[in-house]
Amino acid sequence: MYLCIFRPAVILKLDIIVMLIQFVSSYDIVSHLRMGNFTSSTTGGLSSTTCVQYVQEVVSQNCVVIFSKTTCPYCKMAKNVFNEIGATYKVVELDEHNDGRRLQEALAQMTGARTVPRVFINGNCIGGGSDTKQLHQQGKLVPLIEQCAPCCAASSSEGSGSGQFESAK
C-alpha cells in the first residue's frame, strides 16, 4: 500500500528522465563537439584581428614558419622535409597554443585553407605538408629559403632551429 502512494511520482520522474534523454539524443551534442561547433561562453583570449596580427608578426620575423598540430601526419611530413635539408624553421603548435583555434581561423582567412600545416617561407604561404614535400622533390624549396630576407635568415629567435620548435603560448 505504501508503494502505491508513491508509484505515480516515480513514473512521472521516469517520464521526465526519458524526455530529457530523447531531447539530448535529438540534439546530438556529440557531433557538435566533434565538428568543432561547440563554443564556450567563457572564451577569452585573442580577438580575430589580434590573431591575424600575431600570424603576420611571426611570419615576418622568421624565414620559415610552420603552423602545425602535434598529432598531424602532414605536419610531421613538412617538419621532416625541413629537417632533411637542415633548414631553420619556427613551429607554432596550434593544439598546444591557448588561442590555437582562433589562430587556425585567422590562417584560414589569410590563406584560404583551414587545414594544417600552413607553411610560410619568406612571408608567403606555400601550402601544406604535401605542397612542401612536392616543392622539395622539384628542387624548388631550397631556392625559396635562400631568397629569405637577410633579417629573417639572420634571426635565430628562441625555439627556432633545424629540428627544433617552439610551442608558442
Side-chain angles (χ1 to χ4, degrees):
M1 193 72 162
Y2 180 77
L3 289 175
C4 291
I5 295 172
F6 291 102
R7 189 168 172 90
V10 171
I11 290 172
L12 180 62
K13 287 181 184 177
L14 286 174
D15 287 343
I16 292 172
I17 291 170
V18 169
M19 287 188 331
L20 284 172
I21 290 171
Q22 288 172 342
F23 172 76
V24 170
S25 297
S26 68
Y27 184 68
D28 196 13
I29 193 167
V30 172
S31 71
H32 281 71
L33 288 171
R34 284 189 189 139
M35 297 303 293
N37 294 331
F38 186 78
T39 56
S40 169
S41 61
T42 59
T43 56
L46 301 176
S47 69
S48 176
T49 304
T50 307
C51 284
V52 169
Q53 291 171 344
Y54 173 80
V55 169
Q56 290 172 336
E57 182 179 321
V58 170
V59 167
S60 70
Q61 293 176 356
N62 297 277
C63 180
V64 179
V65 181
I66 306 170
F67 290 91
S68 170
K69 290 188 178 178
T70 56
T71 58
C72 169
Y74 290 96
C75 298
K76 291 175 185 176
M77 177 193 306
K79 292 176 218 174
N80 286 337
V81 168
F82 289 109
N83 287 338
E84 283 177 25
I85 61 176
T88 299
Y89 59 91
K90 179 174 183 80
V91 174
V92 178
E93 297 291 356
L94 298 175
D95 57 339
E96 294 181 348
H97 195 287
N98 292 337
D99 293 296
R101 180 180 286 177
R102 287 182 202 86
L103 290 173
Q104 191 167 1
E105 290 168 6
L107 286 163
Q109 189 178 27
M110 296 169 70
T111 68
R114 192 178 191 288
T115 57
V116 291
R118 294 287 86 205
V119 180
F120 290 80
I121 298 179
N122 204 19
N124 299 310
C125 182
I126 63 164
S130 298
D131 301 313
T132 302
K133 187 173 183 177
Q134 184 177 18
L135 283 172
H136 177 54
Q137 290 170 338
Q138 294 171 347
K140 297 179 181 177
L141 189 63
V142 172
L144 283 176
I145 296 169
E146 290 172 346
Q147 293 175 9
C148 285
C151 65
C152 294
S155 83
S156 62
S157 61
E158 181 184 330
S160 297
S162 180
Q164 300 175 348
F165 61 94
E166 176 180 340
S167 173
K169 290 193 180 178

